[in-house]
Amino acid sequence: MKKIVLITGATSGIGEACARKFAQNGDKVILTGRNTTRLEAIAAELKAQGAEVLTLQFDVRNREAAKAAVEGLPADWRAIDVLVNNAGLALGLEPEYEGDYDDWDGMIDTNIKGLLTMTRLVVPGMVERNSGHIINVGSVAGDAAYAGGNVYCATKAAVKALSDGLRIDVANTAIRVTNLKPGLVETNFSNVRFHGDTDRAAKLYQGIKPLTGDDIADVAVYAANAPAHVQIAEVLILATHQASGSVIVRK
Ligand code: NDP
Ligand code: 8X3
């Protein structure tokens, strides 16, 4: 059956890939993000392929804007079946004792508080309907800290705790909660982390075949379409030559 899927951070990387894969799966997609130009371009492309698409422009750190966007959804788009909490970022790779305060705020406000805001706005409707699926994009970074990962790793450990906590809170309903934990995925992630130092970002993906956004989106679509009694609770997805957050074999 056709689902309504809301994806945060749908303008790039894993979120954009989820938008395409869910649309190709025949679902109605609500693309959300900050970049109107990208939102409109992706929406136009998907609509041209026959998909039903809606765009909402807001920053997940802005609670009022997020609330207005979700509450302003047209009636036939309100019953969200799948929330993909994907918007997120890493900023910096400095030792914790030298970290940048603004970088810390950016990561905590987006990866933890933004995800929580969206959960708070969307999940009550799912509870009312006794139906729904929350797919949080965590990370291998949430399993164990790696050098310089400190605050980013902490935010992804928080995504695990929030996914586990939510799963407990909805265990008496038909709602499912999935924590997707990718490893090295080649997206705009490292350009953002290194504040636009594209050479430094590119080096990260040299000597290893990294994952793509599509690889992660495939798992999201699989989890969302598993039989109703099957809850894909957590998935760790690594590149073949990556063994953990800190063990990556480059050849
Ligand atoms: P990208 O930088 O390519 O995409 C991130 C997306 O999140 C963009 O659409 C970005 O929009 C959006 N976003 C960031 N901040 C906000 C905000 N405040 N409000 C709304 N949207 C926002 O990176 P990825 O696709 O790789 O990252 C997606 C998720 O995957 C993140 O949660 C990341 O932590 C996680 N992840 C990534 C891995 C990787 O190796 N790439 C591995 C494991 C997890 P904008 O362009 O406006 O900034
Ligand atoms: C992104 C993957 O290993 O760079 O979450 O932290 S990693």
Side-chain angles (χ1 to χ4, degrees):
M1 210 185 72
K2 194 175 262 213
K3 290 186 275 297
I4 300 179
V5 183
L6 186 150
I7 303 153
T8 67
T11 55
S12 172
I14 296 169
E16 180 179 346
C18 285
R20 292 179 195 286
K21 291 276 180 182
F22 277 105
Q24 282 160 15
N25 190 53
D27 295 317
K28 289 169 71 167
V29 289
I30 305 173
L31 313 183
T32 82
R34 298 186 289 190
N35 182 332
T36 311
T37 311
R38 289 289 303 145
L39 281 176
E40 294 311 327
I42 298 163
E45 196 188 315
L46 296 180
K47 280 180 189 169
Q49 293 163 12
E52 288 184 78
V53 188
L54 197 79
T55 60
L56 297 176
Q57 193 271 335
F58 64 90
D59 184 318
V60 293
R61 293 172 300 177
N62 183 337
R63 269 192 198 137
E64 289 313 310
K67 188 166 186 278
V70 172
E71 288 178 355
L73 280 168
D76 53 339
W77 286 86
R78 269 193 210 143
I80 295 165
D81 297 296
V82 182
L83 167 64
V84 183
N85 266 323
N86 161 77
L89 74 177
L91 293 167
L93 200 61
E94 287 76 37
E96 194 168 312
Y97 57 87
E98 289 175 354
D100 181 277
Y101 294 113
D102 290 336
D103 283 355
W104 292 352
D105 288 345
M107 291 185 276
I108 291 167
D109 290 348
T110 309
N111 302 359
I112 304 178
K113 292 165 75 179
L115 175 143
L116 267 174
T117 295
M118 294 308 296
T119 302
R120 183 69 184 84
L121 289 171
V122 173
V123 177
M126 292 180 172
V127 172
E128 252 174 55
R129 295 186 296 278
N130 190 33
S131 163
H133 195 149
I134 301 92
I135 300 178
N136 289 332
V137 181
S139 171
V140 64
D143 284 356
Y146 54 78
N150 45 71
V151 174
Y152 177 69
C153 294
T155 66
K156 293 300 181 178
V159 171
K160 173 170 169 53
L162 294 171
S163 304
D164 291 347
L166 181 61
R167 199 176 302 110
I168 294 165
D169 296 336
V170 296
N172 61 337
T173 74
I175 298 168
R176 303 182 290 187
V177 181
T178 299
N179 180 20
L180 286 187
K181 305 189 299 184
L184 199 67
V185 189
E186 191 164 13
T187 61
N188 203 37
F189 178 83
S190 295
N191 290 327
V192 172
R193 168 169 249 171
F194 299 132
H195 298 286
D197 184 341
T198 49
D199 290 341
R200 190 175 176 199
K203 283 204 180 85
L204 219 74
Y205 307 110
Q206 282 170 8
I208 181 167
K209 187 170 170 54
L211 299 165
T212 65
D214 279 351
D215 296 325
I216 310 308
D218 280 338
V219 182
V221 171
Y222 175 82
N225 289 284
H229 68 287
V230 178
Q231 177 169 218
I232 309 292
E234 194 168 291
V235 189
L236 176 65
I237 311 147
L238 299 176
T240 299
H241 293 292
Q242 175 172 24
S244 70
S246 49
V247 177
I248 297 172
V249 178
R250 294 187 168 79
K251 293 178 179 168

